Structure formats: C-alpha cells, structure tokens
Amino acid sequence: CSFVRSPKGFPKLKNDTFLRAARGEETEHTPVWCMRQAGRYLPEFRETRAAQDFFATCRSPKLCCELTLQPLRRFPLDAAIIFSDILVVPQALGMEVVMVPGKGPMFTEPLKEVEDLLKLRQKVDVTAELGYVFQAITLTRHSLEGRVPLIGFSGAPWTLMSYMIEGGGSTTMAKAKSWLYRHPEASHRLLRLLADVITDYLVGQVAAGAQALQLFESHAGHLGPEQFQDFALPYIRDIAQAVKSKLKEEALPLVPMIIFAKDAHYALRDLAHAGYEVVGLDWTIRPQEARAQTGKDVTLQGNLDPCALYAPKEKIGELVKKMLEGFGTQRYIANLGHGLYPDMSPEHVGAFVEAVHAHSRHINKH
C-alpha cells in the first residue's frame, strides 16, 4: 500500500452489490463479508502482526491497509472493513489500553468512581486523536482500486462504557451494570460524551473515504429490555440521526449505516426504526422471525453461527442454502452472527463465501 496524499479522486467502484443490498436495491447475488475477516485465522495476518504491538498496528495506516486487504486477496468478498479496534475511542478520551497476550485488551486505570469521569477529555478533536484511522481509510480506499466498498465502524456507547468500567472483558458486566443502577445520571453523562465523540469519529471516517458504517453494540446482551431502552437505544438512535445531519451539512455522501446489537432480539423492532439502513443479527434468531420483527424497510445482515465454519465444507454449503432460503436473497447481506475465530480454516471461510454467491445466484434464477 503506497500512501496517496489527496483523499479525493478515489478509484471508481467496480462491485457495488453490498451497497445496493444495504440500500434495499435489487442484486444479482447476495453480497457477503465476515466480521473479523482481517484476522488471526490467516497466516499472513499473524505474520504481518508478529513484530508489532496490537495498538501500534492500529496506529499504522500502512499496516491497517495491508491487513484490510489480505482477506480480499484470498476470497471474493463483497466488502472490506477497515482494520482497527473499537477501543481507540476510549483511548481518544485519554484512557490507556494495552493488549495483554492471552487475555485481550486491558485498561490500566478503569473508571471506578463517578469522579473518574473528570479525568476524561470532555472535548475530543477526533482528527488529532484518531487521524491515524482516517489516514488508514483513505490509503485503503485508494489501494482497493474500487474492487469493493470499504466499511468504517465504531463501538456503540454502552459497549465502550462497559469496557471502560470493567477494565477488560467480563462475563457478567457487573461493575458496568452497577453504574446503571447506582449512578444513572453519571452513566448518561458518560454515554452522551461517548455518543458525541462517536458521531464525529464516524463522520470523519466518511470524509476519509468510508462507504458504509457499522456500529457495534457488542454487549447489548448483558442488558435487559428496560436498561437497553434507557441506556443503549437512545444513543444508538442519536448517533444515526447526528451522523446523517452532519454528513448533509458537510456535503459528504450519505452512506448506509448498520447497527449490530448482539443478543438484543428483545429490541429488534426498535432497532429496525432506529435510523439505520441495515440491522445486523447474531446467530441465535431464526431468519423468518427476524424478518417478521423488522419489517420490509430495512436490510438484514447475518447470521450464520461462526462455529458452523468448523463443519465439513459440504455441510457449510447446506447451512448457507438454508440461511438464504430463510432470509430471501434480496434486502439481505450474508455474514456470520459474530466474528471469525482465530483457529478457523481459511478454506472453510472460502467455502462459506462461495456458497453464498452460488446459492443466491441459483435462487435468483429460479
């Protein structure tokens, strides 16, 4: 990837199937991409990453570009997603996050008391703090040479808040949830601060060349319907609205937006009306059920169980066919119900991608 200074003059897009599906237009085949498609399941990824600290990699536009392109050299995917991490946003707020081998990301000083909110930057200049992500997007958009669209992303406020308080992964999110019950006002203050930064960050990604945006509410499943209504949904809605109005103001393209709230079936109806063109689904809901709840006006994305990729290739083909029959081939983007795991076989990922294309073309013909 060679660095191109001017963000304008991007190469013409050759395969817009993903964007058409996201906007609800007709497609010849069902587009497919995978969450965590740039990842440790690829030997070339492990090789590229070997010498570098994880967040140092995230801060290198050249390495992010290389890692984003790797899966596209192997598989006929219909979209690329920029290599980055959701925790760059808490870093932009002034928190320190380190990647601990075998453990994952850890915050050196998580938020413990309400007073700790004062340590966070209250005004974030996203270009100063996260400009390296924008550079990676611009560079990658040029390097893709119009092959497929490039997706930008961010974590959603509740998911980021939960990491900032837990200090890392957690099975219960008890510390973060205790804030929601004990300190509702402070929780809203933090969520609002995050929502504002995320809005600017997503708009900056579009300015840099992102052609679609995904918001990851990965920890939605730790909340019940009431807490989701209070502490997650309002900010998810606000972000969609604010991003769209800022894109208009700045005369930037109105790109499709995807909301992926893992394990939030209880909120699918609300999410379908939250201002996003696409609603992502995890693997724990039947396609027909998801369609019934979300209605005709949004595109669905998902939802093969990632572990299905451990099955023999023929079986993957059967599961994909069944999934396509359940969702229908239109207003649909095939994906997994969560990200790829490090020990998955690239050949099986390839079988998944090819099965989506082959079966959806066949269904469309007949």
Side-chain angles (χ1 to χ4, degrees), residues 48-61:
T48 308
R49 279 269 302 103
Q52 282 271 18
D53 163 72
F54 177 80
F55 286 108
T57 303
C58 290
R59 284 188 287 273
S60 160

Side-chain angles (χ1 to χ4, degrees), residues 48 59 76 163 180 333 363:
T48 308
R59 284 188 287 273
Y163 271 116
L180 304 182
I333 296 161
I363 294 169

